Amino acid sequence: MKRFIAIVMAAMLILSFSGCSIVKDFKEGFAEGFEDGLKSTIQQSGKGYTHGVVEGNVYTSEMTGLTFTAPDGWSFRTDEELMELMDGVYDEEVEDAFTNAAAKMNTVTEMMAIDDNSGTNVIIVYENLLLTGNSGISEEEYFELAKTYGSFEGLAIFDELESVTLSGKDCKYVQINNEGITQYYYMMALEDYMCIIVATNAGDTTRSEIESMFG
């Protein structure tokens, strides 16, 4: 049962990011006469995005410097499956199909790895801050915006943000409880993107074990 709930929660997480309301509404900008500036922003957005690579049981990202090693019994979702989760169009005949499609999105489900037995999973999501009008904000500012606009509504948030490292990169961490299942939530600020890593623990995987998967 927990396995099913964890997978459902992962899917809901992706949908919540896709519909995230912390973005600035471009329609208001158009109404105020900023058409040229907004068009330029849209054209520039996504240029810093590069899709990570999965080889065997290892995911690596040039964009973030993250490396994730999936333990035995885990599997990665394919690019086509990730794009389906985002309601995007994946054309395998187009060169760099995932990157080209994802660069135009507000939020991108970059990677998803699942323990096929327990349902415990790790998801990496990017929010395009340039496109959403929040370029350059910190992890703390992002977290406060997410709380303000209801991204964590109904969830139990434990403690304050904590500084940690994943793959030698600085992140902010907070633990969240959702329907009795623990989620480990990490944020890494890039200039025009926020990288969000969420591990949903449906078994007995500890936080330290999750973090060790990132080396």
Side-chain angles (χ1 to χ4, degrees):
M1 183 64 178
K2 268 196 169 185
R3 179 183 185 279
F4 173 76
I5 294 174
I7 293 173
V8 169
M9 285 171 57
M12 290 176 65
L13 175 74
I14 293 168
L15 289 174
S16 71
F17 279 120
S18 298
C20 187
S21 59
I22 72 171
V23 303
K24 294 182 179 178
D25 193 339
F26 277 176
K27 291 182 181 178
E28 293 181 3
F30 279 112
E32 295 169 7
F34 294 115
E35 293 93 341
D36 292 339
L38 288 170
K39 287 178 181 177
S40 176
T41 298
I42 293 170
Q43 290 168 358
Q44 290 297 318
S45 70
K47 289 190 175 180
Y49 173 74
T50 56
H51 187 34
V53 177
V54 173
E55 294 183 347
N57 69 327
V58 179
Y59 159 88
T60 55
S61 169
E62 179 181 337
M63 181 172 170
T64 60
L66 292 174
T67 299
F68 176 86
T69 302
D72 292 340
W74 286 56
S75 61
F76 289 99
R77 292 298 175 258
T78 66
D79 287 353
E80 186 172 4
E81 290 170 329
L82 293 176
M83 193 59 66
E84 286 179 1
L85 287 171
M86 297 182 286
D87 290 329
V89 178
Y90 181 83
D91 186 349
E92 60 183 9
E93 296 185 1
V94 175
E95 186 177 359
D96 297 325
F98 189 95
T99 297
N100 290 335
K104 302 177 181 68
M105 297 179 175
N106 284 357
T107 54
V108 179
T109 305
E110 162 71 4
M111 186 276 281
M112 183 174 186
I114 298 180
D115 181 336
D116 296 320
N117 293 315
S118 71
T120 293
N121 58 78
V122 175
I123 300 175
I124 297 177
V125 176
Y126 293 141
E127 179 169 345
N128 187 331
L129 299 177
L130 183 63
L131 190 58
T132 62
N134 294 295
S135 184
I137 65 173
S138 67
E139 294 93 341
E140 291 88 350
E141 291 169 325
Y142 182 88
F143 188 62
E144 289 303 316
L145 282 170
K147 289 193 295 183
T148 299
Y149 287 94
S151 296
F152 298 109
E153 186 175 358
L155 307 183
I157 301 174
F158 294 87
D159 303 322
E160 299 298 320
L161 288 180
E162 177 184 337
S163 296
V164 300
T165 59
L166 297 178
S167 302
K169 304 298 180 181
D170 293 334
C171 302
K172 296 298 182 182
Y173 163 84
V174 69
Q175 180 177 316
I176 295 171
N177 188 278
N178 190 349
E179 300 294 335
I181 292 180
T182 299
Q183 290 184 303
Y184 310 122
Y185 191 99
Y186 304 84
M187 288 161 284
M188 179 193 298
L190 309 173
E191 181 61 29
D192 292 328
Y193 283 88
M194 185 65 66
C195 176
I196 303 108
I197 303 152
V198 182
T200 302
N201 185 10
D204 56 2
T205 306
T206 65
R207 171 188 164 186
S208 61
E209 287 173 329
I210 292 291
E211 292 179 4
S212 70
M213 296 176 193
F214 287 90

